[in-house]
């Protein structure tokens, strides 16, 4: 687990086929990263390497088969 990152103010950029399709910050999320981890860990065991996905804003684009 990485502990040196400020999870309350983390920039997240998503690229698809070399184009930026999302550019946001964790402080814009409906629920904080820490509260999401807390809630999820109450119903399942989280292990090293687990990936938690939270969805995306409605204005994101869709991936197609073969997209890098």
């Amino acid at each position: 687990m990485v502990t040196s990152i400020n999870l309350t103010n983390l920039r997240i950029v998503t690229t698809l086929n070399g184009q930026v399709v999302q550019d946001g910050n964790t402080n814009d999320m409906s629920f904080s990263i820490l509260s999401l981890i807390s809630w999820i860990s109450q119903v399942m065991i989280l292990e090293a390497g687990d990936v938690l996905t939270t969805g995306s804003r409605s204005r994101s684009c869709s991936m197609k088969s073969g997209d890098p």
Side-chain angles (χ1 to χ4, degrees):
M1 179 187 295
V2 177
T3 58
S4 60
I5 296 175
N6 179 359
L7 298 174
T8 61
N9 190 23
L10 183 63
R11 184 177 180 207
I12 301 172
V13 178
T14 305
T15 59
L16 180 62
N17 298 320
Q19 299 267 2
V20 173
V21 293
Q22 289 186 331
D23 188 350
N25 196 296
T26 55
N27 62 20
D28 294 326
M29 294 175 67
S30 298
F31 302 99
S32 74
I33 298 291
L34 294 178
S35 64
L36 289 169
I37 292 171
S38 174
W39 182 81
I40 293 167
S41 65
Q42 291 177 42
V43 296
M44 64 183 289
I45 296 171
L46 293 172
E47 298 184 14
D50 283 349
V51 176
L52 306 177
T53 60
T54 60
S56 61
R57 297 187 266 190
S58 61
R59 61 182 176 263
S60 65
C61 62
S62 298
M63 292 180 66
K64 298 178 195 86
S65 179
D67 282 342

